Amino acid sequence: MARVLGAGAAALALALTTPGVSQAAGGVLFIDRAAIHEPSGCYPLGDFVPSAVANFTDETAFVWSGPFCDGRVTSWVRSGEVVRPAPGMSLFIP
């Protein structure tokens, strides 16, 4: 129950974000060992095997069920976490 409420709260927080204001997360995000410095926006995850995600930024990343950060939030990766989020087809970081 707490996970469902948390995912709903995360989706609501993303929906209420002011459009047009873009600020990259500070730090480095790794998706399958590929480093993304100062990440911002939507990134694809693995198609058949869950991707390895290491979040060394100052933001929480949200895993989405759809390929273009659409559908629903299925989980999140907090700052400092290294996980294989499943299910999920894309990852959004503000």
Side-chain angles (χ1 to χ4, degrees), residues 46-81:
D47 290 331
F48 302 106
V49 177
S51 291
V53 176
N55 183 2
F56 298 115
T57 71
D58 54 2
E59 296 285 344
T60 297
F62 299 93
V63 179
W64 287 83
S65 62
F68 305 105
C69 294
D70 56 355
R72 64 182 183 86
V73 174
T74 59
S75 63
W76 50 88
V77 185
R78 291 182 183 93
S79 179
E81 285 187 326

Side-chain angles (χ1 to χ4, degrees), residues 6-8 11 16 19 22 27 31 33-36 38 44 50 59 61 67-70 73 82 84 86 88-89 93:
L16 295 177
S22 178
I31 299 176
R33 297 186 182 174
I36 305 163
E38 308 297 322
E59 296 285 344
F68 305 105
C69 294
D70 56 355
V73 174
V82 178
R84 287 192 178 270
M89 295 183 69
I93 189 159

